Amino acid sequence: MQVSDPGGVYLYSKKVIEEFSNPSNVGSIENADGVGEIGSTVDGDIINISIKVRDNVLEDVKFKTFGCVVAISTSSMVTKLSKGKTIDEVLELKNEDVIEALEGLPEGKDRCSGFALDALKMAIEDYKQKNK
Amino acid sequence: MDHSATTPVDPLVLDSMLPYFSELFGNPSSLHSFGNEASEALSLARRQVAEIIGALPEEIIFTSGGTESDNLAIRGVIPHDSGKKHVITSAVEHPAVLNTCAFLEKVGHDVTYVPVDSNGVVDLEYLEKSIRDDTIVISVMHANNEVGTIQPLKEIAQIAKKHGICFHTDAVQSVGKIPVNVDDLGVDLLSISSHKIYGPKGVGALYVRKGTMIEPIVFGGNHEKGIRSGTENVPGIIGLGKAMVLAQERLEPDSEKMRQMRDSLIKRILESVDDVRLNGHPTQRLPNNVNFSFKYVEGESMLMLLDMKGIGVSTGSACSSRSQKSSNVLSSLGIEDEYIHGSLRISLGRENSMEEIDYVVKSLKETVSKLREMSPLAGK
Ligand SMILES: Cc1ncc(COP(=O)(O)O)c(C=O)c1O
């Protein structure tokens, strides 16, 4: 398992490394309005995203992630891209937007990149269910 | 801290090799004097390698590395016209052995993969029970490249001998770290790789005990007694010989130093971090191998954070984002899911120091606690 090529150059973009080593919005919101969790210890990735919603806007978004560099950096990016946005805007977000914001992912490592966004959308779904 | 993957070429090894790229470029098969020098150098390297493992020079076949030695050993002892045969190996072998065995199965031979216990030691009773009339070779590695467990080769050799079966071992990880003597171990074939012992990459050797029937898998101009054709990698082989000599000279002090660093690292991490386990055997392990599993964190993430602190390690873990699967060695040890994703191998080398171990302990603790703060599993 390698994170850099033999010359010491990282396989990941600078942005991925930055998000991974200095992630934003780590934690879980107490009395969250919605929570989404995806993955299992068997898969080796668990992403938990909690949201606070006010007037249809995601006032706060936090994540807790057990997983690889991609899982952690996409989780952080997803919280950044969604915080302060309306629910409709967030539902429009696509996996490609997350990858683009991370300045790309190495080939073969983009498979689980959608998990964080899925967890966020599950959290919104959870919020909607509770506020029917 | 990733010396089981590879090692830098020792300056003395490099010095020994350099002339054979330039002034002494001869082909050892040529009859003129250039060729003669190359051929004499090859003989010297052969004697060096042989002497260190307690073999005769004519029992050493130079190859392109550990992988080829493993391939040649296992495929070579199955006569091409023998029909279906049976091979016994272990569940924790290197892919060089496992994929050779998978190929043999594909072409119609049978293979038994002997399971290991939770420390990674092969089940000797299972091994002996799986012997059949058509069993032709047993291949069990000397020391495991991931978890460092040293296998009871003498016991396996006795079983093999009792049943008249050829016995091969992949000693790629053990050479230069613990004593390796073909008669003490009782093996008929033994694989060596140069780049794990501060020699160059792409060169290795296979020991073949006198009287062992072996056929080539590479055909050509009958180099290496016809068992491995192809003009010899003269500088590489000279480098291997030199690396073996240096490894032998330094075996005792180096392994003692690594053992102290290893034990200090293990003790301090087990004492100061919760929910961690040591993978592999507590005592029967390579002096330079440490393999931990941390609960609630994932291997690649630890690898990356440590890499950023200037510490190169490796992991047998893989998450679902990658096509690679988690290590078959870790799953063969029966490690639980919670632990299997958070594995980390630290393999020490002779140039590491106790100060570096202090730094690794500190960095590893920071890394694990940083990732656990992010983990939804920790503290649940
Ligand atoms: C146990 C074991 N066998 C075989 C090999 C392969 O050796 P080489 O890289 O020289 O082909 C390795 C190294 O990767 C190893 O650790």
Side-chain angles (χ1 to χ4, degrees), chain A residues 10 12 21 41 45 65 67 108, chain B residues 300-301 307 320-321 341 370 374:
Chain A
Y10 285 117
Y12 294 109
S21 53
T41 47
D45 274 307
T65 293
Chain B
E300 190 211 22
S301 291
D307 191 280
S320 53
S321 71
H341 295 287
K370 176 170 175 166
M374 273 187 236

Side-chain angles (χ1 to χ4, degrees), chain A residues 93-104:
Chain A
L93 276 179
K94 288 191 194 60
N95 190 26
E96 293 79 60
D97 302 326
V98 182
I99 296 179
E100 197 184 305
L102 287 168
E103 292 166 7

Side-chain angles (χ1 to χ4, degrees), chain B residues 4 65-68 70 94 96 141 143 145 170 172-173 193 195-196:
Chain B
S4 293
T67 301
E68 189 191 328
D70 287 346
H94 187 273
M141 69 201 322
N145 46 304
D170 174 335
V172 166
Q173 291 289 343
S193 173
H195 73 102
K196 310 282 181 181

Side-chain angles (χ1 to χ4, degrees), chain A residues 1 3 10 12 17 20-21 23 41-46 64-69 72 108-109 111-112 115, chain B residues 296-298 300-301 303-305 307-308 315 319-323 337 341 370-371 373-377:
Chain A
M1 158 84 260
V3 291
Y10 285 117
Y12 294 109
I17 307 273
F20 167 74
S21 53
T41 47
V42 180
D43 300 332
D45 274 307
I46 299 177
K64 279 215 157 188
T65 293
F66 157 72
C68 62
V69 174
I72 290 174
K109 303 214 174 191
R111 256 207 277 166
C112 84
F115 289 172
Chain B
Y296 318 126
V297 296
E298 197 273 336
E300 190 211 22
S301 291
L303 197 76
M304 179 64 94
L305 288 179
D307 191 280
M308 296 171 92
T315 176
C319 80
S320 53
S321 71
R322 265 158 278 139
S323 45
D337 284 332
H341 295 287
K370 176 170 175 166
L371 291 171
E373 270 168 38
M374 273 187 236
S375 173
L377 296 169

Side-chain angles (χ1 to χ4, degrees), chain B residues 41-337:
Chain B
L42 276 191
S43 306
L44 172 66
R46 203 181 301 281
R47 285 198 303 275
Q48 288 170 326
V49 173
E51 193 185 316
I52 289 160
I53 61 168
L56 300 168
E58 59 267 32
E59 294 174 315
I60 303 298
I61 305 293
F62 290 120
T63 67
S64 67
T67 301
E68 189 191 328
S69 296
D70 287 346
N71 274 261
L72 173 58
I74 299 169
R75 288 180 62 193
V77 296
I78 305 178
H80 68 279
D81 56 357
S82 67
K84 184 170 144 186
K85 289 286 179 190
H86 177 233
V87 174
I88 298 174
T89 188
S90 87
V92 295
E93 297 298 311
H94 187 273
V97 169
L98 289 182
N99 287 336
T100 299
C101 289
F103 169 79
L104 292 175
E105 283 182 292
K106 229 193 263 172
V107 299
H109 298 291
D110 285 342
V111 180
T112 299
Y113 300 89
V114 179
V116 297
D117 66 14
S118 59
N119 289 328
V121 180
V122 294
D123 183 337
L124 293 175
E125 221 173 285
Y126 189 108
L127 186 146
E128 184 154 20
K129 277 201 189 123
S130 57
I131 290 174
R132 317 192 312 206
D133 288 342
D134 60 350
T135 305
I136 195 150
V137 60
I138 298 173
S139 177
V140 174
M141 69 201 322
H142 194 188
N144 185 267
N145 46 304
E146 287 186 43
V147 297
T149 301
I150 298 168
Q151 300 294 352
L153 292 196
K154 286 183 200 179
E155 282 87 341
I156 299 171
Q158 276 168 5
I159 295 171
K161 198 159 190 189
K162 194 164 96 189
H163 296 268
I165 300 165
C166 187
F167 181 30
H168 165 249
T169 192
D170 174 335
V172 166
Q173 291 289 343
S174 57
V175 165
K177 291 171 202 123
I178 54 175
V180 173
N181 179 290
V182 292
D183 287 337
D184 286 350
L185 296 175
V187 295
D188 300 308
L189 301 131
L190 181 141
S191 302
I192 295 172
S193 173
S194 152
H195 73 102
K196 310 282 181 181
I197 54 167
Y198 301 87
K201 294 173 178 55
V203 60
L206 179 67
Y207 158 77
V208 184
R209 185 178 291 279
K210 228 179 176 170
T212 305
M213 299 300 275
I214 188 163
E215 289 179 3
I217 57 171
V218 173
F219 299 88
N222 290 335
H223 306 76
E224 300 295 297
K225 294 188 293 169
I227 296 173
R228 203 281 189 176
S229 286
T231 301
E232 297 85 349
N233 172 3
V234 178
I237 292 168
I238 305 304
L240 166 62
K242 184 74 182 177
M244 289 286 286
V245 170
L246 293 176
Q248 182 66 12
E249 278 170 18
R250 298 173 183 174
L251 183 66
E252 262 185 49
D254 276 0
S255 60
E256 187 46 39
K257 180 185 157 191
M258 291 192 288
R259 199 171 280 120
Q260 282 175 11
M261 293 193 289
R262 174 196 75 183
D263 292 343
S264 165
L265 177 57
I266 292 174
K267 184 162 175 280
R268 285 149 78 190
I269 291 296
L270 293 183
E271 275 173 6
S272 60
V273 181
D274 291 332
D275 296 318
V276 55
R277 52 163 291 166
L278 177 72
N279 298 322
H281 200 283
T283 54
Q284 285 299 104
R285 71 187 303 135
L286 286 175
N288 73 323
N289 174 287
V290 179
N291 191 311
F292 292 122
S293 270
F294 298 92
K295 245 182 177 173
Y296 318 126
V297 296
E298 197 273 336
E300 190 211 22
S301 291
M302 283 192 278
L303 197 76
M304 179 64 94
L305 288 179
L306 289 169
D307 191 280
M308 296 171 92
K309 292 172 189 285
I311 301 170
V313 294
S314 86
T315 176
S317 308
C319 80
S320 53
S321 71
R322 265 158 278 139
S323 45
Q324 295 128 281
K325 288 220 304 250
S326 288
S327 141
N328 67 299
V329 174
L330 296 177
S331 42
S332 298
L333 264 57
I335 294 169
E336 308 87 321
D337 284 332

